[in-house]
Amino acid sequence: SAGFETSNPMFNKLNKIWQRTQTDNMHGGIASDCPHRERSPYTGDGQVACVTVMHNFDTKNFYHKWIKDIIGAQIVETGYVPNGAPWQPGCGGGVAWGAAINIMPWEFYLHYGSKDILEDSYPAMKEYIRYMKTWVNENGIMHQQRVGKDGKVLKWFNLGEWVTPGELPPDDLVHTFYFWRCADLTAKTAKVLGDDNEAKQYADLAENTKQAFLMYFWNEAEGTYGDAGANVFALRMGVPEVKYDRVISALKKNINENDGHLDTGIFGTQFFFETLSENGLHEMAYEAMNKRDEPSYGRWLELGATTTWEKWSTDGSHNHPMFGGGMVWLYRKLAGMNTDEDEPGYRHIIFRPQPAGDISFAKYYNNTSYGRAGIHWEKEDDNFSVNVAVPVGCRATVYVPVDGNQQVLEDGKKVVDNEFIKAAGEEDGYRIYEVQSGDYEFEVQ
């Protein structure tokens, strides 16, 4: 299991109650949506939370089994993936639920470095793409609208986003985003498996879908793709340079109008905090994570929650792990430990701490496939220190925050290139170092 702690007690409590919620729902070889009401193995809930699960627990065997269940539940004739596996729940889901068949194997590969899971899953990933393409119109936009025996659209099997605090974004916008994401991950999988022809085929499909999204959903008059996570989805895909500043302004305006709160559902929340931090809005991400009134994680804690809830309000289940998807920001941005998809499984670790607000320290450690890895940084006035642990057989790139002409010291001495540490330049307020296996302490003075 992993360890996470910061100087912010609320973040620590949030991490703890989410862990409790997830373990409450891990039973019988599946992850359920809640342990008391439906108790169903929803694939949408599963894929949106799996990244956070892997950052907290050793779940290699668990996800290996559940991914095989999802593959086994796929409808051979059409490629459709049910809203749950190994059985279809009585209630609903949609495109982002079936997308688990493309997302979960890739996240497993990134976290555990297992190429085997991609080999096992790749045919099923392609089959889900085949199914998704049957719902794509002449504009390249996907809008799944399955109907029942009476010919009427089945609302509960065509969901887009779910449980936003306000209005949902358009279903076709969310469907198209996940069509892009599935095509993109299938292309990356093909590349890892050495099939360059199919890698290009799916990369072209992903690019065409991205361009269709960016054209069709753009509101030129208002300079936005929309609220409720729509701009977050667009930024995740990558918006054109000529539109970028307007999208960022629209996103900031939306958050400010919401008094610094998010307005996203389970899928947008997964990307909300990291997308802000990756686009110059790190402090806004921190402020949204640190909110204590509705809608926010902190509101649950203020109301005495000991598990995470299904909705930002007090409605619904009070034991649902799906909103945990957004919490990877705590480990990957605030603490700052990431794996490199070109050298997965933490074979190459990227340590990039991103202090925010009044946080004075953050630490995150995980038992990777190669051993214990982690980061612990502390900040006091102008002094900053960062300790990193790099497992045997691995290497790391360490970004050390500096201000102006501050010196970076290692074990009390100015960093000098040697066989274990090499200076690798500067970037956006960081000095960068390449290090080999071992434990290192950098200090900034």
Side-chain angles (χ1 to χ4, degrees), residues 371-422:
R372 186 172 181 267
I375 181 171
H376 178 186
W377 61 259
E378 295 188 12
K379 180 182 179 182
E380 183 177 357
D381 298 325
D382 293 332
N383 298 321
F384 188 90
S385 67
V386 55
N387 290 263
V388 299
V390 185
V392 173
C394 301
R395 66 185 184 90
T397 302
V398 184
Y399 289 75
V400 181
V402 293
D403 184 10
N405 295 318
Q406 289 180 311
Q407 282 193 332
V408 178
L409 310 177
E410 205 280 317
D411 286 340
K413 300 177 182 178
K414 186 173 180 179
V415 176
V416 178
D417 284 3
N418 57 44
E419 61 179 311
F420 302 110
I421 304 175
K422 291 189 181 299

Side-chain angles (χ1 to χ4, degrees), residues 170-199:
D171 287 344
D172 55 352
L173 182 147
V174 181
H175 292 180
T176 305
F177 172 80
Y178 274 96
F179 182 43
W180 163 80
R181 192 169 184 218
C182 288
D184 180 59
L185 297 184
T186 304
K188 291 178 177 179
T189 298
K191 183 178 179 181
V192 171
L193 298 180
D195 193 330
D196 292 339
N197 289 332
E198 292 198 348

Side-chain angles (χ1 to χ4, degrees), residues 17-18 21 25 33-39 42 45 48 91-92 97 156 159 161-165 264-267 269 295-297 300 305 307-324:
I17 71 165
W18 176 83
T21 309
N25 281 281
D33 61 326
C34 56
H36 57 292
R37 192 183 67 198
E38 293 174 81
R39 302 184 296 279
Y42 282 103
D45 303 47
V48 78
C91 203
W97 280 250
W156 294 106
L159 300 179
E161 180 61 286
W162 192 234
V163 287
T164 53
T264 46
I266 58 174
F267 303 120
T269 298
S296 70
Y297 293 113
W300 299 339
T307 48
T308 57
W309 296 358
E310 181 183 15
K311 299 182 180 180
W312 295 120
S313 67
T314 58
D315 297 336
S317 159
H318 285 190
N319 195 323
H320 255 67
M322 60 191 183
F323 271 117

Side-chain angles (χ1 to χ4, degrees), residues 24 60 84 129 147 151 159 182 186 199-200 203 215 276 284 296 326 364 402 428:
D24 283 351
K60 289 191 290 292
I129 295 289
V147 299
L159 300 179
C182 288
T186 304
K200 184 180 186 307
M215 180 180 296
L276 263 60
M284 293 189 84
S296 70
Y364 171 72
V402 293
D428 298 330

Side-chain angles (χ1 to χ4, degrees), residues 60-341:
K60 289 191 290 292
N61 292 335
F62 176 86
Y63 280 112
H64 188 269
K65 183 267 181 191
W66 199 20
I67 289 169
K68 289 295 184 70
D69 286 342
I70 297 171
I71 294 171
Q74 188 173 35
I75 306 303
V76 174
E77 291 79 8
T78 63
Y80 171 75
V81 177
N83 299 327
W87 69 89
Q88 169 67 57
C91 203
V95 174
W97 280 250
I101 207 164
N102 300 76
I103 294 168
M104 287 168 64
W106 181 255
E107 296 294 354
F108 188 105
Y109 168 71
L110 290 185
H111 203 80
Y112 299 120
S114 171
K115 186 176 176 181
D116 293 354
I117 199 73
L118 297 185
E119 293 171 341
D120 293 345
S121 305
Y122 183 57
M125 295 167 76
K126 293 194 294 183
E127 283 295 282
Y128 191 54
I129 295 289
R130 176 171 71 89
Y131 169 79
M132 297 173 89
K133 288 169 74 173
T134 65
W135 295 99
V136 177
N137 66 19
E138 66 277 4
N139 296 317
I141 301 302
M142 182 187 180
H143 190 193
Q144 177 182 287
Q145 291 184 292
R146 291 182 58 204
V147 299
K149 293 180 180 179
D150 59 1
K152 295 181 180 178
V153 174
L154 296 165
K155 171 187 174 181
W156 294 106
F157 286 83
N158 299 286
L159 300 179
E161 180 61 286
W162 192 234
V163 287
T164 53
E167 291 188 9
L168 294 165
D171 287 344
D172 55 352
L173 182 147
V174 181
H175 292 180
T176 305
F177 172 80
Y178 274 96
F179 182 43
W180 163 80
R181 192 169 184 218
C182 288
D184 180 59
L185 297 184
T186 304
K188 291 178 177 179
T189 298
K191 183 178 179 181
V192 171
L193 298 180
D195 193 330
D196 292 339
N197 289 332
E198 292 198 348
K200 184 180 186 307
Q201 173 188 334
Y202 288 106
D204 288 346
L205 177 61
E207 180 62 24
N208 291 338
T209 303
K210 169 184 167 180
Q211 294 304 326
F213 179 107
L214 295 175
M215 180 180 296
Y216 185 81
F217 296 110
W218 174 246
N219 184 324
E220 175 63 29
E222 297 184 14
T224 183
Y225 287 98
D227 298 337
N231 281 318
V232 171
F233 289 134
L235 287 165
R236 180 75 180 186
M237 300 170 84
V239 301
E241 186 176 346
V242 294
K243 297 178 180 177
Y244 179 80
D245 288 343
R246 297 186 72 192
V247 173
I248 294 297
S249 294
L251 180 58
K252 289 171 64 176
K253 180 174 181 285
N254 173 228
I255 295 171
N256 287 329
E257 288 176 347
N258 291 323
D259 193 28
H261 293 81
L262 48 69
D263 64 347
T264 46
I266 58 174
F267 303 120
T269 298
Q270 178 185 3
F271 303 114
F272 177 85
F273 300 99
E274 290 192 316
T275 298
L276 263 60
S277 292
E278 290 165 1
N279 289 277
L281 305 176
H282 185 58
E283 288 295 330
M284 293 189 84
Y286 168 77
E287 290 167 8
M289 181 68 78
N290 200 36
K291 288 291 184 182
R292 288 169 169 79
D293 54 340
E294 189 178 322
S296 70
Y297 293 113
R299 178 58 174 162
W300 299 339
L301 292 168
E302 290 289 310
L303 294 173
T306 56
T307 48
T308 57
W309 296 358
E310 181 183 15
K311 299 182 180 180
W312 295 120
S313 67
T314 58
D315 297 336
S317 159
H318 285 190
N319 195 323
H320 255 67
M322 60 191 183
F323 271 117
M327 290 173 52
V328 290
W329 178 87
L330 297 171
Y331 326 127
R332 301 201 295 207
K333 300 303 181 187
L334 184 64
M337 176 171 144
N338 297 268
T339 189
D340 180 352
E341 71 176 46

